[in-house]
Amino acid sequence: MHVRIGVTYIPREIEVELGDDADPETVKGAVEKAIASGGMLWLTDRKGHQVGVAVDKLAYIDLGTSADHGHIGFGAP
Protein backbone atom coordinates (compact mmCIF):
# COMPACT_ATOMS: atom_id res chain seq x y z
CA MET A 1 0.00 0.00 0.00
CA HIS A 2 1.21 3.47 -0.88
CA VAL A 3 0.83 6.29 1.68
CA ARG A 4 1.32 9.98 0.91
CA ILE A 5 1.53 12.36 3.86
CA GLY A 6 1.17 16.10 3.56
CA VAL A 7 2.95 18.12 6.22
CA THR A 8 2.17 21.75 7.00
CA TYR A 9 4.68 24.32 5.73
CA ILE A 10 6.51 21.72 3.60
CA PRO A 11 5.78 21.75 -0.15
CA ARG A 12 6.73 18.10 -0.75
CA GLU A 13 4.82 15.05 0.40
CA ILE A 14 6.29 12.23 2.42
CA GLU A 15 5.76 8.97 0.54
CA VAL A 16 5.87 5.59 2.27
CA GLU A 17 5.42 2.25 0.50
CA LEU A 18 3.98 -0.20 3.01
CA GLY A 19 3.96 -3.95 2.49
CA ASP A 20 1.39 -5.49 0.17
CA ASP A 21 -0.28 -7.08 3.18
CA ALA A 22 -0.93 -3.70 4.85
CA ASP A 23 -4.58 -3.13 5.67
CA PRO A 24 -6.00 0.36 5.01
CA GLU A 25 -8.34 0.12 8.01
CA THR A 26 -5.42 -0.75 10.30
CA VAL A 27 -3.41 2.21 8.97
CA LYS A 28 -6.40 4.53 9.44
CA GLY A 29 -6.75 3.26 13.01
CA ALA A 30 -3.07 3.96 13.70
CA VAL A 31 -3.46 7.50 12.29
CA GLU A 32 -6.54 8.18 14.40
CA LYS A 33 -4.87 6.80 17.53
CA ALA A 34 -1.77 8.97 16.96
CA ILE A 35 -3.93 12.06 16.42
CA ALA A 36 -5.96 11.35 19.57
CA SER A 37 -2.80 10.98 21.65
CA GLY A 38 -1.19 14.07 20.12
CA GLY A 39 2.13 12.33 19.60
CA MET A 40 3.88 10.89 16.58
CA LEU A 41 2.56 8.83 13.72
CA TRP A 42 4.98 5.98 13.00
CA LEU A 43 4.82 3.88 9.84
CA THR A 44 7.18 1.09 8.81
CA ASP A 45 7.84 0.70 5.09
CA ARG A 46 8.32 -2.55 3.20
CA LYS A 47 12.11 -2.44 3.78
CA GLY A 48 11.73 -2.04 7.54
CA HIS A 49 12.52 1.69 7.70
CA GLN A 50 10.45 3.65 10.18
CA VAL A 51 9.04 7.06 9.32
CA GLY A 52 7.68 9.33 12.03
CA VAL A 53 5.64 12.51 11.64
CA ALA A 54 4.46 14.76 14.46
CA VAL A 55 0.67 14.67 14.25
CA ASP A 56 0.35 18.40 14.91
CA LYS A 57 2.10 18.94 11.55
CA LEU A 58 -0.17 16.62 9.50
CA ALA A 59 -2.07 18.32 6.71
CA TYR A 60 -3.50 15.16 5.08
CA ILE A 61 -2.89 11.45 4.53
CA ASP A 62 -3.66 9.69 1.25
CA LEU A 63 -3.94 5.90 1.31
CA GLY A 64 -3.72 4.03 -1.98
CA THR A 65 -2.76 0.67 -3.38
CA SER A 66 0.60 -0.16 -4.91
CA ALA A 67 -1.16 -0.24 -8.29
CA ASP A 68 -2.06 3.45 -7.86
CA HIS A 69 1.59 4.46 -7.64
CA GLY A 70 4.18 4.82 -10.34
CA HIS A 71 2.11 5.66 -13.41
CA ILE A 72 3.83 7.83 -15.97
CA GLY A 73 2.00 9.65 -18.71
CA PHE A 74 -1.63 10.44 -19.28
CA GLY A 75 -4.82 8.47 -19.02
CA ALA A 76 -5.72 5.29 -17.23
CA PRO A 77 -3.25 2.40 -16.92
Side-chain angles (χ1 to χ4, degrees):
M1 177 176 26
H2 186 76
V3 179
R4 292 185 309 168
I5 303 170
V7 181
T8 56
Y9 306 112
I10 297 177
R12 294 190 61 180
E13 299 171 328
I14 297 171
E15 297 190 28
V16 181
E17 190 68 34
L18 303 179
D20 292 332
D21 60 344
D23 176 42
E25 293 302 317
T26 303
V27 175
K28 281 197 271 185
V31 171
E32 291 171 356
K33 183 178 177 183
I35 290 171
S37 71
M40 295 282 289
L41 169 64
W42 288 98
L43 298 173
T44 303
D45 71 6
R46 63 177 47 205
K47 294 181 180 179
H49 298 116
Q50 292 188 337
V51 176
V53 179
V55 294
D56 63 336
K57 302 299 182 191
L58 290 177
Y60 63 90
I61 296 179
D62 178 28
L63 302 177
T65 64
S66 295
D68 294 338
H69 180 64
H71 295 297
I72 300 174
F74 299 95

